[in-house]
Amino acid sequence: MKNLLSLLLVLIITLVSSSSYTQAASPDKSANAEIPVLLYHVVKPDPDPSNPWQFSLSEFEKHMAYLKENGYRTLTMKQYFNILDKKAAMPEKPILLTFDDNSSDFYQYVYPILQQYGMKATQFTVSDWVNGGWNMTSEEMLIIKENGVDIQNHSVSHPFLANLSKEQQYEEINFATSALKDLTGKTTDVFAYPYGNYNVETISVLKELGFRGAFKVGGGISTDQSNRYELPRIMILQEHSLEDFIRMVKTGY
């Protein structure tokens, strides 16, 4: 009898502990979502001092080290939207890393650092620039795609979309979708506006084509209340110090 009671006590303790763990391991999906989205362009060891969109590789590595050391969790694009749409719980300190224009420096310099720090990222790709003189090759694009980097749509030729007719905008976005699907086997469903330039017709086209959302430039930290077709991004420029970066990640500005 004594052994039976002891066994029952152990079983009860185990069940209670398991229940407590399950409850603790299930974050609240109803919590307000706040996710900083970072935007980089060219990152390399010797950025052109006259080009604000080129960023120092050594400073970029400091950014990744800071995020790693301070418990930030990088997201895939799917995870990002699922959190905003309340389909998934938000982890502590989520962050989305995005890079525009599929420039060759990404594969040579950025990708190894992302791998080193275990970071996920999204590459917004201009389809006509793949295999271009200063851009990644199709082979490089496939390698990064298989190793934690989302490939998403940044148009065919990187135009000022608001200067185009709706039909021309449709072609820029839809043809890029087709080209990127041919390359990766995956249909892109998120867009980044070239130059942050768009109008109501651009948004109409994206909705017609079934895009889940689109990113502009600036606007602070994204939340579950953000317009899905005007999602903000924090642009990192050459002038920004590490102190600026830390502040921008926390506040969006």
Side-chain angles (χ1 to χ4, degrees):
M1 177 65 80
K2 183 177 180 180
N3 288 340
L4 180 58
L5 289 173
S6 298
L7 182 60
L8 287 171
L9 181 61
V10 170
L11 181 59
I12 291 169
I13 293 172
T14 301
L15 289 172
V16 170
S17 299
S18 176
S19 175
S20 299
Y21 175 79
T22 300
Q23 292 175 5
S26 301
D28 183 7
K29 292 182 183 180
S30 66
N32 293 331
E34 294 187 354
I35 306 174
V37 181
L38 304 184
L39 165 58
Y40 297 88
H41 288 87
V42 172
V43 179
K44 61 181 183 177
D46 54 344
D48 179 352
S50 67
N51 188 333
W53 293 278
Q54 293 190 8
F55 196 73
S56 163
L57 180 64
S58 61
E59 290 300 307
F60 174 74
E61 184 164 9
K62 291 178 185 178
H63 290 185
M64 297 303 103
Y66 172 83
L67 296 178
K68 184 75 171 182
E69 291 164 5
N70 287 274
Y72 283 88
R73 177 179 171 183
T74 55
L75 305 174
T76 65
M77 192 59 72
K78 182 177 180 180
Q79 290 171 329
Y80 170 80
F81 275 94
N82 282 346
I83 291 168
L84 292 191
D85 295 341
K86 304 296 186 179
K87 295 178 180 178
M90 185 176 69
E92 187 176 358
K93 293 186 175 181
I95 194 164
L96 182 67
L97 305 181
T98 72
F99 299 80
D100 282 6
D101 303 342
N102 48 297
S103 51
S104 58
D105 61 275
F106 184 90
Y107 184 78
Q108 185 174 2
Y109 302 119
V110 175
Y111 172 62
I113 291 178
L114 295 176
Q115 291 290 98
Q116 176 185 343
Y117 287 92
M119 302 292 189
K120 301 169 185 175
T122 295
Q123 177 62 242
F124 282 106
T125 301
V126 181
S127 62
D128 266 5
W129 291 359
V130 177
N131 295 316
W134 61 279
N135 298 92
M136 283 186 279
T137 66
S138 54
E139 290 80 9
E140 290 168 344
M141 296 291 294
L142 289 175
I143 290 172
I144 66 171
K145 181 240 178 193
E146 293 301 321
N147 291 277
V149 179
D150 287 330
I151 307 299
Q152 293 292 348
N153 196 323
H154 200 34
S155 79
V156 170
S157 63
H158 205 280
F160 286 92
L161 289 168
N163 294 343
L164 305 180
S165 68
K166 184 176 180 180
E167 292 73 18
Q168 290 171 319
Q169 293 192 52
Y170 186 97
E171 291 179 354
E172 275 286 338
I173 298 168
N174 192 42
F175 288 176
T177 297
S178 297
L180 294 175
K181 184 175 183 180
D182 288 343
L183 173 64
T184 67
K186 176 185 174 184
T187 299
T188 57
D189 60 358
V190 181
F191 191 73
Y193 302 112
Y195 309 106
N197 178 258
Y198 63 98
N199 58 20
V200 293
E201 291 185 329
T202 321
I203 295 175
S204 176
V205 167
L206 291 170
K207 289 180 178 179
E208 287 176 25
L209 291 171
F211 276 75
R212 196 169 186 180
F215 288 91
K216 59 182 185 177
V217 175
I221 290 178
S222 63
T223 75
D224 52 296
Q225 300 302 309
S226 298
N227 184 320
R228 297 297 187 268
Y229 297 91
E230 295 180 304
L231 291 164
R233 286 196 292 174
I234 304 162
M235 183 155 63
I236 307 299
L237 300 174
Q238 189 173 157
E239 67 189 42
H240 292 141
S241 66
L242 180 60
E243 291 71 24
D244 292 330
F245 172 79
I246 294 170
R247 183 194 71 249
M248 293 159 77
V249 166
K250 292 179 178 178
T251 68
Y253 299 97

